[in-house]
PDB file of all heavy atoms in Angstrom:
ATOM      1  N   PHE A 170      -6.862   5.655  -8.031  1.00 89.00           N
ATOM      2  CA  PHE A 170      -7.828   6.562  -7.391  1.00 89.00           C
ATOM      3  C   PHE A 170      -9.090   6.719  -8.239  1.00 89.00           C
ATOM      4  O   PHE A 170     -10.208   6.656  -7.722  1.00 89.00           O
ATOM      5  CB  PHE A 170      -7.170   7.919  -7.151  1.00 89.00           C
ATOM      6  CG  PHE A 170      -8.096   8.945  -6.559  1.00 89.00           C
ATOM      7  CD1 PHE A 170      -8.452   8.880  -5.225  1.00 89.00           C
ATOM      8  CD2 PHE A 170      -8.634   9.928  -7.350  1.00 89.00           C
ATOM      9  CE1 PHE A 170      -9.333   9.809  -4.680  1.00 89.00           C
ATOM     10  CE2 PHE A 170      -9.518  10.866  -6.837  1.00 89.00           C
ATOM     11  CZ  PHE A 170      -9.867  10.798  -5.485  1.00 89.00           C
ATOM     12  N   LEU A 171      -8.913   6.934  -9.549  1.00 91.00           N
ATOM     13  CA  LEU A 171     -10.070   7.117 -10.428  1.00 91.00           C
ATOM     14  C   LEU A 171     -10.928   5.850 -10.511  1.00 91.00           C
ATOM     15  O   LEU A 171     -12.145   5.916 -10.493  1.00 91.00           O
ATOM     16  CB  LEU A 171      -9.615   7.550 -11.810  1.00 91.00           C
ATOM     17  CG  LEU A 171      -8.978   8.952 -11.886  1.00 91.00           C
ATOM     18  CD1 LEU A 171      -8.437   9.215 -13.271  1.00 91.00           C
ATOM     19  CD2 LEU A 171      -9.961  10.014 -11.463  1.00 91.00           C
ATOM     20  N   LEU A 172     -10.276   4.695 -10.560  1.00 90.00           N
ATOM     21  CA  LEU A 172     -11.027   3.448 -10.590  1.00 90.00           C
ATOM     22  C   LEU A 172     -11.780   3.215  -9.289  1.00 90.00           C
ATOM     23  O   LEU A 172     -12.920   2.743  -9.282  1.00 90.00           O
ATOM     24  CB  LEU A 172     -10.073   2.270 -10.866  1.00 90.00           C
ATOM     25  CG  LEU A 172      -9.546   2.155 -12.288  1.00 90.00           C
ATOM     26  CD1 LEU A 172      -8.457   1.079 -12.377  1.00 90.00           C
ATOM     27  CD2 LEU A 172     -10.680   1.856 -13.253  1.00 90.00           C
ATOM     28  N   LEU A 173     -11.138   3.540  -8.192  1.00 90.00           N
ATOM     29  CA  LEU A 173     -11.817   3.403  -6.884  1.00 90.00           C
ATOM     30  C   LEU A 173     -12.985   4.355  -6.761  1.00 90.00           C
ATOM     31  O   LEU A 173     -14.048   3.979  -6.230  1.00 90.00           O
ATOM     32  CB  LEU A 173     -10.817   3.642  -5.750  1.00 90.00           C
ATOM     33  CG  LEU A 173      -9.772   2.563  -5.530  1.00 90.00           C
ATOM     34  CD1 LEU A 173      -8.727   3.033  -4.542  1.00 90.00           C
ATOM     35  CD2 LEU A 173     -10.411   1.288  -5.064  1.00 90.00           C
ATOM     36  N   ALA A 174     -12.818   5.565  -7.245  1.00 91.00           N
ATOM     37  CA  ALA A 174     -13.902   6.527  -7.192  1.00 91.00           C
ATOM     38  C   ALA A 174     -15.092   6.043  -8.013  1.00 91.00           C
ATOM     39  O   ALA A 174     -16.249   6.189  -7.595  1.00 91.00           O
ATOM     40  CB  ALA A 174     -13.426   7.905  -7.682  1.00 91.00           C
ATOM     41  N   ALA A 175     -14.813   5.465  -9.169  1.00 91.00           N
ATOM     42  CA  ALA A 175     -15.890   4.912  -9.991  1.00 91.00           C
ATOM     43  C   ALA A 175     -16.541   3.699  -9.329  1.00 91.00           C
ATOM     44  O   ALA A 175     -17.760   3.536  -9.366  1.00 91.00           O
ATOM     45  CB  ALA A 175     -15.363   4.539 -11.372  1.00 91.00           C
ATOM     46  N   ASN A 176     -15.727   2.852  -8.746  1.00 88.00           N
ATOM     47  CA  ASN A 176     -16.253   1.641  -8.110  1.00 88.00           C
ATOM     48  C   ASN A 176     -17.090   1.953  -6.850  1.00 88.00           C
ATOM     49  O   ASN A 176     -18.186   1.439  -6.700  1.00 88.00           O
ATOM     50  CB  ASN A 176     -15.099   0.702  -7.731  1.00 88.00           C
ATOM     51  CG  ASN A 176     -15.587  -0.607  -7.150  1.00 88.00           C
ATOM     52  OD1 ASN A 176     -16.513  -1.209  -7.659  1.00 88.00           O
ATOM     53  ND2 ASN A 176     -14.969  -1.000  -6.044  1.00 88.00           N
ATOM     54  N   PHE A 177     -16.550   2.794  -5.980  1.00 87.00           N
ATOM     55  CA  PHE A 177     -17.260   3.129  -4.743  1.00 87.00           C
ATOM     56  C   PHE A 177     -18.321   4.205  -4.977  1.00 87.00           C
ATOM     57  O   PHE A 177     -19.162   4.446  -4.133  1.00 87.00           O
ATOM     58  CB  PHE A 177     -16.291   3.654  -3.668  1.00 87.00           C
ATOM     59  CG  PHE A 177     -15.460   2.568  -3.047  1.00 87.00           C
ATOM     60  CD1 PHE A 177     -14.079   2.736  -2.973  1.00 87.00           C
ATOM     61  CD2 PHE A 177     -16.010   1.444  -2.511  1.00 87.00           C
ATOM     62  CE1 PHE A 177     -13.288   1.765  -2.373  1.00 87.00           C
ATOM     63  CE2 PHE A 177     -15.244   0.467  -1.909  1.00 87.00           C
ATOM     64  CZ  PHE A 177     -13.877   0.617  -1.847  1.00 87.00           C
ATOM     65  N   GLN A 178     -18.242   4.913  -6.115  1.00 89.00           N
ATOM     66  CA  GLN A 178     -19.083   6.042  -6.413  1.00 89.00           C
ATOM     67  C   GLN A 178     -18.996   7.115  -5.315  1.00 89.00           C
ATOM     68  O   GLN A 178     -19.976   7.712  -4.911  1.00 89.00           O
ATOM     69  CB  GLN A 178     -20.526   5.613  -6.632  1.00 89.00           C
ATOM     70  CG  GLN A 178     -20.681   4.708  -7.836  1.00 89.00           C
ATOM     71  CD  GLN A 178     -22.091   4.277  -8.082  1.00 89.00           C
ATOM     72  OE1 GLN A 178     -23.009   4.549  -7.303  1.00 89.00           O
ATOM     73  NE2 GLN A 178     -22.292   3.594  -9.175  1.00 89.00           N
ATOM     74  N   SER A 179     -17.762   7.257  -4.820  1.00 88.00           N
ATOM     75  CA  SER A 179     -17.503   8.220  -3.759  1.00 88.00           C
ATOM     76  C   SER A 179     -16.024   8.631  -3.805  1.00 88.00           C
ATOM     77  O   SER A 179     -15.156   7.768  -3.709  1.00 88.00           O
ATOM     78  CB  SER A 179     -17.824   7.620  -2.393  1.00 88.00           C
ATOM     79  OG  SER A 179     -17.333   8.420  -1.364  1.00 88.00           O
ATOM     80  N   LEU A 180     -15.781   9.914  -3.934  1.00 89.00           N
ATOM     81  CA  LEU A 180     -14.410  10.377  -3.913  1.00 89.00           C
ATOM     82  C   LEU A 180     -13.808  10.237  -2.527  1.00 89.00           C
ATOM     83  O   LEU A 180     -12.615   9.984  -2.362  1.00 89.00           O
ATOM     84  CB  LEU A 180     -14.345  11.840  -4.377  1.00 89.00           C
ATOM     85  CG  LEU A 180     -14.602  12.091  -5.845  1.00 89.00           C
ATOM     86  CD1 LEU A 180     -14.604  13.579  -6.127  1.00 89.00           C
ATOM     87  CD2 LEU A 180     -13.546  11.412  -6.702  1.00 89.00           C
ATOM     88  N   ARG A 181     -14.636  10.371  -1.512  1.00 89.00           N
ATOM     89  CA  ARG A 181     -14.154  10.239  -0.110  1.00 89.00           C
ATOM     90  C   ARG A 181     -13.612   8.852   0.165  1.00 89.00           C
ATOM     91  O   ARG A 181     -12.540   8.713   0.748  1.00 89.00           O
ATOM     92  CB  ARG A 181     -15.260  10.576   0.855  1.00 89.00           C
ATOM     93  CG  ARG A 181     -15.582  12.042   0.938  1.00 89.00           C
ATOM     94  CD  ARG A 181     -16.688  12.254   1.943  1.00 89.00           C
ATOM     95  NE  ARG A 181     -17.005  13.681   2.049  1.00 89.00           N
ATOM     96  CZ  ARG A 181     -17.862  14.169   2.872  1.00 89.00           C
ATOM     97  NH1 ARG A 181     -18.533  13.371   3.688  1.00 89.00           N
ATOM     98  NH2 ARG A 181     -18.079  15.455   2.912  1.00 89.00           N
ATOM     99  N   LEU A 182     -14.354   7.814  -0.228  1.00 91.00           N
ATOM    100  CA  LEU A 182     -13.895   6.464   0.005  1.00 91.00           C
ATOM    101  C   LEU A 182     -12.642   6.162  -0.795  1.00 91.00           C
ATOM    102  O   LEU A 182     -11.718   5.468  -0.317  1.00 91.00           O
ATOM    103  CB  LEU A 182     -14.985   5.431  -0.310  1.00 91.00           C
ATOM    104  CG  LEU A 182     -16.174   5.419   0.647  1.00 91.00           C
ATOM    105  CD1 LEU A 182     -17.208   4.381   0.210  1.00 91.00           C
ATOM    106  CD2 LEU A 182     -15.726   5.150   2.076  1.00 91.00           C
ATOM    107  N   ALA A 183     -12.581   6.683  -2.022  1.00 92.00           N
ATOM    108  CA  ALA A 183     -11.387   6.480  -2.839  1.00 92.00           C
ATOM    109  C   ALA A 183     -10.183   7.155  -2.184  1.00 92.00           C
ATOM    110  O   ALA A 183      -9.085   6.610  -2.172  1.00 92.00           O
ATOM    111  CB  ALA A 183     -11.613   7.019  -4.244  1.00 92.00           C
ATOM    112  N   GLU A 235     -17.834   0.373   5.121  1.00 92.00           N
ATOM    113  CA  GLU A 235     -18.941   1.058   4.431  1.00 92.00           C
ATOM    114  C   GLU A 235     -20.212   0.220   4.513  1.00 92.00           C
ATOM    115  O   GLU A 235     -21.304   0.756   4.702  1.00 92.00           O
ATOM    116  CB  GLU A 235     -18.566   1.353   2.996  1.00 92.00           C
ATOM    117  CG  GLU A 235     -19.618   2.101   2.210  1.00 92.00           C
ATOM    118  CD  GLU A 235     -19.925   3.511   2.717  1.00 92.00           C
ATOM    119  OE1 GLU A 235     -19.201   3.996   3.616  1.00 92.00           O
ATOM    120  OE2 GLU A 235     -20.880   4.116   2.210  1.00 92.00           O
ATOM    121  N   ARG A 314     -16.330   9.976   6.682  1.00 86.00           N
ATOM    122  CA  ARG A 314     -17.711   9.508   6.500  1.00 86.00           C
ATOM    123  C   ARG A 314     -18.684  10.075   7.541  1.00 86.00           C
ATOM    124  O   ARG A 314     -19.870   9.862   7.425  1.00 86.00           O
ATOM    125  CB  ARG A 314     -17.792   7.981   6.519  1.00 86.00           C
ATOM    126  CG  ARG A 314     -17.192   7.328   5.315  1.00 86.00           C
ATOM    127  CD  ARG A 314     -17.656   7.951   4.033  1.00 86.00           C
ATOM    128  NE  ARG A 314     -18.784   7.239   3.484  1.00 86.00           N
ATOM    129  CZ  ARG A 314     -19.393   7.616   2.361  1.00 86.00           C
ATOM    130  NH1 ARG A 314     -18.999   8.686   1.719  1.00 86.00           N
ATOM    131  NH2 ARG A 314     -20.417   6.941   1.901  1.00 86.00           N
TER     132      ARG A 314
END
Side-chain angles (χ1 to χ4, degrees):
F170 176 77
L171 293 174
L172 287 171
L173 289 171
N176 183 46
F177 286 129
Q178 296 181 354
S179 169
L180 290 176
R181 288 181 179 183
L182 290 179
E235 181 64 8
R314 290 312 265 178

